[in-house]
Amino acid sequence: MSISSLDSGVLLLARGDEILTEQVAGVADRSTGVHCAPGTRFQIASISKQMAAAAVLLLAERGALSLSDPVVRWLPGPPPEWSGITLHHLLTHTSGLGHWEQYPAVDLADPAEPDDLLGLFAAVPPLFRPGAGWHYSSPGYVLLARTVERAADRPYAEFLAEEVFAPLGMTGSFAGAGDGRPDVAVGHEGGRPVPSWDLATVSMGAGDVWCTGTDLLTWLGRAGAGCSPRPR
């Protein structure tokens, strides 16, 4: 297994604690010619939802919230249609909330104030009553990230950094926008650099984490072993 000469990225293959293959190839930013390196940080998109779920479960373990809590307990001005939605429904994509295509007023490339974003979600009726079906929902995970902020009384990115990444030794990982940070890979389409989504607001909790290859391998290894950061 290898990265072709036309590709860019980091490849790590492990069995247990043994690294079988480690390769780095290509450039992280074609406009500057900066090459990929073991410490290059990549957007991991919806894998970020695993970290959001871990944050919610940590707070549940500490008694700061309950998975049976109605989401309306944690969000400002929720619509009546959300009254039966629990945090467990959001975690399991059974809340009735839709995915991005159900919310055409949301522009993924445009920054949004958190409460304004919630208003755009609230303007669209749920697809079904909570627990009556399954529908993949990134907006549901945005609501979970907002819940983490309120239950923990600190910014979501800060909570992940201090309570999830640091205990696991994931020193190259962070949540939020990559602008101005070192060692971040620039997105490309057709060989041209493209801007990232506004991960700090629109996709907070749903697709806002950046990781190195090593950190992601650490995360997958701990998740596969059923381990979690030590509760306080």
Side-chain angles (χ1 to χ4, degrees), residues 5-219:
S5 60
L6 298 179
D7 292 333
S8 297
V10 175
L11 173 65
L12 288 169
L13 180 64
R15 179 183 293 119
D17 294 330
E18 180 186 3
I19 301 294
L20 303 179
T21 298
E22 183 173 6
Q23 298 183 43
V24 180
V27 294
D29 185 345
R30 295 182 189 275
S31 64
T32 62
V34 172
H35 284 264
C36 286
T40 300
R41 301 185 283 191
F42 299 88
Q43 294 179 24
I44 63 170
S46 284
I47 298 174
S48 305
K49 291 182 175 66
Q50 296 180 17
M51 288 73 168
V56 171
L57 294 175
L58 277 175
L59 289 170
E61 191 173 50
R62 297 172 185 175
L65 54 76
S66 170
L67 300 188
S68 61
D69 283 346
V71 69
V72 298
R73 173 185 174 186
W74 296 105
L75 301 177
E81 292 84 358
W82 290 4
S83 62
I85 298 175
T86 66
L87 300 183
H88 183 267
H89 287 134
L90 295 177
L91 284 168
T92 57
H93 301 281
T94 57
S95 67
L97 297 181
H99 193 44
W100 297 123
E101 60 269 19
Q102 274 76 47
Y103 303 94
V106 176
D107 183 351
L108 291 175
D110 187 30
E113 291 297 323
D115 288 350
D116 292 341
L117 186 61
L118 294 186
L120 295 176
F121 294 156
V124 178
L127 300 174
F128 47 82
R129 62 179 176 81
W134 186 93
H135 191 91
Y136 185 80
S137 177
S138 281
Y141 270 72
V142 175
L143 301 188
L144 287 172
R146 290 297 308 282
T147 298
V148 168
E149 289 192 321
R150 289 176 168 262
D153 194 27
R154 57 181 137 160
Y156 176 70
E158 181 181 308
F159 184 88
L160 285 192
E162 296 177 354
E163 307 290 351
V164 177
F165 299 145
L168 293 176
M170 295 171 62
T171 57
S173 300
F174 66 91
D179 298 341
R181 292 182 181 259
D183 303 321
V184 295
V186 176
H188 293 82
E189 184 175 1
R192 297 181 178 180
V194 294
S196 67
W197 302 121
D198 179 49
L199 301 177
T201 57
V202 180
S203 277
M204 183 176 69
D208 60 334
V209 172
W210 301 67
C211 280
T212 64
T214 300
D215 278 3
L216 190 55
L217 185 62
T218 295
W219 174 262

